[in-house]
Amino acid sequence: MKRKVVQLYSGGLDSYIISKLINPDVKLYFNYGTEQNKLEMSKLPEDVIVKDLPIGQYTQDDGLSTIPLRNLIFASIAVNYGDDIIIGGLKSDLHYDKKPEFTEATTKLFNSVLEKERQPKSVRVLVPFSDYTKTDLIVEYLQKGFALEDLDKYSWSCHTPEDSKPCGHCQACNARRKAIQEALTRIGK
């Protein structure tokens, strides 16, 4: 029986590209009630399932918009949609809940609980691009023939928008711009 793949979809550049590269059965986005969510949702492709989950109040004032255990919460819900839960972590991600160690521990936890509750299901929480840089991800996307223009059309990365537009100077905007430029240089465009 084919395993159903669920992607935890953030609305960002990495998430959009990963959805194109793996073509998940379900793309699951969580609206946790922040201004950032409103801007992300304005760019979501039509096939993304949006679930309201008001946890924005737990956002840390750390400059990274951290919500502790966010991906654990999201993955717990995603188990109800499929068997393989994909988290879009990359090599440079700082958050532990995007690392292979986290996904391995979470897989064990989920399967232990499912077994104890006699649920006939086995799940895997995966971070398949954890060895990739943002540039690597964009290169693979472009080499597979996907459109560069769609990155702006279907993803949002800015942490400090100005008039609902990307600011162009925050860490996320700079990382996005740099990775796209590096990817274009790498593939000779």
Side-chain angles (χ1 to χ4, degrees):
M1 187 161 124
K2 181 182 180 288
R3 295 180 64 82
K4 194 169 183 182
V5 177
V6 181
Q7 179 188 4
L8 298 184
Y9 197 91
S10 72
L13 178 73
D14 304 341
S15 189
Y16 174 72
I17 292 174
I18 289 169
S19 76
K20 291 302 187 183
L21 297 178
I22 66 169
N23 193 25
D25 299 300
V26 176
K27 297 176 209 163
L28 195 54
Y29 176 89
F30 292 95
N31 171 19
Y32 38 94
T34 65
E35 284 302 310
Q36 178 85 6
N37 285 138
K38 291 177 189 171
L39 295 167
E40 289 167 349
M41 287 190 300
S42 72
K43 301 268 188 169
L44 293 179
E46 291 181 16
D47 62 341
V48 175
I49 296 170
V50 176
K51 291 294 184 185
D52 292 333
L53 187 65
I55 61 172
Q57 63 191 339
Y58 303 111
T59 302
Q60 304 295 298
D61 187 19
D62 60 359
L64 299 171
S65 301
T66 302
I67 297 175
L69 303 175
R70 178 179 69 176
N71 282 327
L72 180 63
I73 297 165
F74 296 165
S76 297
I77 295 168
V79 165
N80 294 290
Y81 289 85
D83 311 297
D84 291 343
I85 313 305
I86 304 298
I87 295 176
L90 300 179
K91 188 185 294 187
S92 62
D93 277 316
L94 302 174
H95 299 293
Y96 177 73
D97 68 353
K98 290 184 172 186
K99 302 287 185 193
E101 299 84 4
F102 167 81
T103 59
E104 290 166 17
T106 303
T107 296
K108 276 177 101 170
L109 171 68
F110 286 176
N111 285 315
S112 174
V113 171
L114 289 168
E115 182 183 324
K116 301 272 188 281
E117 293 188 357
R118 296 188 176 97
Q119 297 295 314
K121 180 177 192 158
S122 170
V123 300
R124 295 184 301 190
V125 182
L126 307 164
V127 60
F129 296 94
S130 63
D131 289 336
Y132 279 56
T133 65
K134 193 176 291 292
T135 301
D136 296 336
L137 199 63
I138 296 168
V139 165
E140 186 165 333
Y141 170 85
L142 293 173
Q143 287 177 333
K144 291 196 182 250
F146 294 110
L148 180 63
E149 306 78 47
D150 285 350
L151 298 180
D152 284 335
K153 186 175 179 183
Y154 295 112
S155 69
W156 180 269
S157 299
C158 184
H159 292 300
T160 55
E162 297 168 358
D163 297 321
S164 298
K165 294 186 175 81
C167 71
H169 53 74
C170 70
Q171 181 275 333
C173 285
N174 287 333
R176 178 185 182 114
R177 182 176 47 257
K178 180 181 177 209
I180 290 171
Q181 289 168 346
E182 288 174 355
L184 292 173
T185 299
R186 196 184 297 174
I187 62 172
K189 286 194 175 187

